[in-house]
PDB file of all heavy atoms in Angstrom:
ATOM      1  N   HIS A  59     -26.640  -3.666  -2.524  1.00 97.00           N
ATOM      2  CA  HIS A  59     -26.999  -4.311  -1.253  1.00 97.00           C
ATOM      3  C   HIS A  59     -28.144  -5.315  -1.423  1.00 97.00           C
ATOM      4  O   HIS A  59     -29.096  -5.326  -0.645  1.00 97.00           O
ATOM      5  CB  HIS A  59     -27.348  -3.271  -0.187  1.00 97.00           C
ATOM      6  CG  HIS A  59     -26.286  -2.245   0.007  1.00 97.00           C
ATOM      7  ND1 HIS A  59     -25.111  -2.523   0.657  1.00 97.00           N
ATOM      8  CD2 HIS A  59     -26.214  -0.950  -0.388  1.00 97.00           C
ATOM      9  CE1 HIS A  59     -24.360  -1.441   0.672  1.00 97.00           C
ATOM     10  NE2 HIS A  59     -24.995  -0.475   0.034  1.00 97.00           N
ATOM     11  N   SER A  60     -28.006  -6.125  -2.446  1.00 97.00           N
ATOM     12  CA  SER A  60     -29.049  -7.105  -2.760  1.00 97.00           C
ATOM     13  C   SER A  60     -29.120  -8.192  -1.687  1.00 97.00           C
ATOM     14  O   SER A  60     -28.091  -8.723  -1.263  1.00 97.00           O
ATOM     15  CB  SER A  60     -28.768  -7.769  -4.108  1.00 97.00           C
ATOM     16  OG  SER A  60     -29.623  -8.874  -4.315  1.00 97.00           O
ATOM     17  N   PRO A  61     -30.324  -8.570  -1.282  1.00 97.00           N
ATOM     18  CA  PRO A  61     -30.463  -9.688  -0.342  1.00 97.00           C
ATOM     19  C   PRO A  61     -30.088 -11.029  -0.980  1.00 97.00           C
ATOM     20  O   PRO A  61     -29.895 -12.005  -0.275  1.00 97.00           O
ATOM     21  CB  PRO A  61     -31.947  -9.659   0.040  1.00 97.00           C
ATOM     22  CG  PRO A  61     -32.625  -8.895  -1.034  1.00 97.00           C
ATOM     23  CD  PRO A  61     -31.601  -7.950  -1.599  1.00 97.00           C
ATOM     24  N   LYS A  62     -29.936 -11.040  -2.296  1.00 97.00           N
ATOM     25  CA  LYS A  62     -29.566 -12.274  -3.001  1.00 97.00           C
ATOM     26  C   LYS A  62     -28.058 -12.437  -3.159  1.00 97.00           C
ATOM     27  O   LYS A  62     -27.594 -13.442  -3.685  1.00 97.00           O
ATOM     28  CB  LYS A  62     -30.246 -12.307  -4.366  1.00 97.00           C
ATOM     29  CG  LYS A  62     -31.758 -12.336  -4.247  1.00 97.00           C
ATOM     30  CD  LYS A  62     -32.426 -12.383  -5.588  1.00 97.00           C
ATOM     31  CE  LYS A  62     -33.944 -12.403  -5.389  1.00 97.00           C
ATOM     32  NZ  LYS A  62     -34.661 -12.490  -6.636  1.00 97.00           N
ATOM     33  N   LEU A  63     -27.308 -11.463  -2.703  1.00 98.00           N
ATOM     34  CA  LEU A  63     -25.856 -11.492  -2.890  1.00 98.00           C
ATOM     35  C   LEU A  63     -25.229 -12.759  -2.329  1.00 98.00           C
ATOM     36  O   LEU A  63     -24.419 -13.400  -3.004  1.00 98.00           O
ATOM     37  CB  LEU A  63     -25.202 -10.260  -2.258  1.00 98.00           C
ATOM     38  CG  LEU A  63     -23.668 -10.235  -2.274  1.00 98.00           C
ATOM     39  CD1 LEU A  63     -23.126 -10.280  -3.689  1.00 98.00           C
ATOM     40  CD2 LEU A  63     -23.168  -9.005  -1.538  1.00 98.00           C
ATOM     41  N   ASN A  64     -25.550 -13.128  -1.111  1.00 98.00           N
ATOM     42  CA  ASN A  64     -24.914 -14.314  -0.515  1.00 98.00           C
ATOM     43  C   ASN A  64     -25.159 -15.578  -1.316  1.00 98.00           C
ATOM     44  O   ASN A  64     -24.272 -16.426  -1.426  1.00 98.00           O
ATOM     45  CB  ASN A  64     -25.367 -14.497   0.934  1.00 98.00           C
ATOM     46  CG  ASN A  64     -24.612 -13.585   1.864  1.00 98.00           C
ATOM     47  OD1 ASN A  64     -23.425 -13.351   1.696  1.00 98.00           O
ATOM     48  ND2 ASN A  64     -25.304 -13.035   2.845  1.00 98.00           N
ATOM     49  N   ASP A  65     -26.337 -15.715  -1.902  1.00 98.00           N
ATOM     50  CA  ASP A  65     -26.615 -16.881  -2.747  1.00 98.00           C
ATOM     51  C   ASP A  65     -25.660 -16.928  -3.936  1.00 98.00           C
ATOM     52  O   ASP A  65     -25.137 -17.989  -4.290  1.00 98.00           O
ATOM     53  CB  ASP A  65     -28.057 -16.855  -3.255  1.00 98.00           C
ATOM     54  CG  ASP A  65     -29.074 -16.997  -2.138  1.00 98.00           C
ATOM     55  OD1 ASP A  65     -28.741 -17.561  -1.074  1.00 98.00           O
ATOM     56  OD2 ASP A  65     -30.213 -16.527  -2.334  1.00 98.00           O
ATOM     57  N   TYR A  66     -25.425 -15.775  -4.543  1.00 98.00           N
ATOM     58  CA  TYR A  66     -24.548 -15.737  -5.715  1.00 98.00           C
ATOM     59  C   TYR A  66     -23.068 -15.815  -5.324  1.00 98.00           C
ATOM     60  O   TYR A  66     -22.260 -16.351  -6.092  1.00 98.00           O
ATOM     61  CB  TYR A  66     -24.873 -14.515  -6.587  1.00 98.00           C
ATOM     62  CG  TYR A  66     -26.149 -14.781  -7.345  1.00 98.00           C
ATOM     63  CD1 TYR A  66     -27.383 -14.451  -6.806  1.00 98.00           C
ATOM     64  CD2 TYR A  66     -26.134 -15.425  -8.575  1.00 98.00           C
ATOM     65  CE1 TYR A  66     -28.564 -14.748  -7.468  1.00 98.00           C
ATOM     66  CE2 TYR A  66     -27.298 -15.729  -9.248  1.00 98.00           C
ATOM     67  CZ  TYR A  66     -28.521 -15.388  -8.684  1.00 98.00           C
ATOM     68  OH  TYR A  66     -29.681 -15.698  -9.345  1.00 98.00           O
ATOM     69  N   LEU A  67     -22.730 -15.346  -4.149  1.00 98.00           N
ATOM     70  CA  LEU A  67     -21.360 -15.552  -3.669  1.00 98.00           C
ATOM     71  C   LEU A  67     -21.103 -17.039  -3.463  1.00 98.00           C
ATOM     72  O   LEU A  67     -20.023 -17.543  -3.804  1.00 98.00           O
ATOM     73  CB  LEU A  67     -21.130 -14.780  -2.370  1.00 98.00           C
ATOM     74  CG  LEU A  67     -21.081 -13.262  -2.482  1.00 98.00           C
ATOM     75  CD1 LEU A  67     -21.039 -12.628  -1.099  1.00 98.00           C
ATOM     76  CD2 LEU A  67     -19.905 -12.807  -3.338  1.00 98.00           C
ATOM     77  N   ASP A  68     -22.089 -17.738  -2.924  1.00 98.00           N
ATOM     78  CA  ASP A  68     -21.960 -19.196  -2.753  1.00 98.00           C
ATOM     79  C   ASP A  68     -21.779 -19.891  -4.094  1.00 98.00           C
ATOM     80  O   ASP A  68     -20.915 -20.764  -4.249  1.00 98.00           O
ATOM     81  CB  ASP A  68     -23.184 -19.771  -2.034  1.00 98.00           C
ATOM     82  CG  ASP A  68     -23.282 -19.358  -0.579  1.00 98.00           C
ATOM     83  OD1 ASP A  68     -22.273 -18.908   0.000  1.00 98.00           O
ATOM     84  OD2 ASP A  68     -24.392 -19.490  -0.016  1.00 98.00           O
ATOM     85  N   LEU A  69     -22.590 -19.509  -5.075  1.00 98.00           N
ATOM     86  CA  LEU A  69     -22.460 -20.106  -6.411  1.00 98.00           C
ATOM     87  C   LEU A  69     -21.082 -19.827  -7.001  1.00 98.00           C
ATOM     88  O   LEU A  69     -20.463 -20.711  -7.605  1.00 98.00           O
ATOM     89  CB  LEU A  69     -23.542 -19.553  -7.345  1.00 98.00           C
ATOM     90  CG  LEU A  69     -24.968 -20.020  -7.109  1.00 98.00           C
ATOM     91  CD1 LEU A  69     -25.935 -19.235  -7.997  1.00 98.00           C
ATOM     92  CD2 LEU A  69     -25.095 -21.511  -7.376  1.00 98.00           C
ATOM     93  N   ALA A  70     -20.615 -18.610  -6.814  1.00 98.00           N
ATOM     94  CA  ALA A  70     -19.301 -18.233  -7.346  1.00 98.00           C
ATOM     95  C   ALA A  70     -18.195 -19.067  -6.715  1.00 98.00           C
ATOM     96  O   ALA A  70     -17.282 -19.540  -7.403  1.00 98.00           O
ATOM     97  CB  ALA A  70     -19.047 -16.747  -7.110  1.00 98.00           C
ATOM     98  N   GLU A  71     -18.274 -19.256  -5.426  1.00 97.00           N
ATOM     99  CA  GLU A  71     -17.229 -20.006  -4.728  1.00 97.00           C
ATOM    100  C   GLU A  71     -17.250 -21.493  -5.078  1.00 97.00           C
ATOM    101  O   GLU A  71     -16.263 -22.187  -4.889  1.00 97.00           O
ATOM    102  CB  GLU A  71     -17.339 -19.774  -3.231  1.00 97.00           C
ATOM    103  CG  GLU A  71     -16.939 -18.351  -2.862  1.00 97.00           C
ATOM    104  CD  GLU A  71     -17.156 -18.008  -1.403  1.00 97.00           C
ATOM    105  OE1 GLU A  71     -17.957 -18.679  -0.726  1.00 97.00           O
ATOM    106  OE2 GLU A  71     -16.517 -17.032  -0.959  1.00 97.00           O
ATOM    107  N   GLN A  72     -18.366 -21.981  -5.599  1.00 97.00           N
ATOM    108  CA  GLN A  72     -18.474 -23.378  -6.027  1.00 97.00           C
ATOM    109  C   GLN A  72     -18.105 -23.569  -7.497  1.00 97.00           C
ATOM    110  O   GLN A  72     -18.056 -24.699  -7.979  1.00 97.00           O
ATOM    111  CB  GLN A  72     -19.890 -23.885  -5.790  1.00 97.00           C
ATOM    112  CG  GLN A  72     -20.290 -23.925  -4.338  1.00 97.00           C
ATOM    113  CD  GLN A  72     -21.778 -24.134  -4.151  1.00 97.00           C
ATOM    114  OE1 GLN A  72     -22.491 -24.499  -5.078  1.00 97.00           O
ATOM    115  NE2 GLN A  72     -22.259 -23.887  -2.949  1.00 97.00           N
TER     116      GLN A  72
END
Side-chain angles (χ1 to χ4, degrees):
H59 306 286
S60 170
K62 297 181 180 182
L63 175 60
N64 280 322
D65 295 335
Y66 285 89
L67 290 172
D68 291 342
L69 288 172
E71 290 174 339
Q72 296 167 14

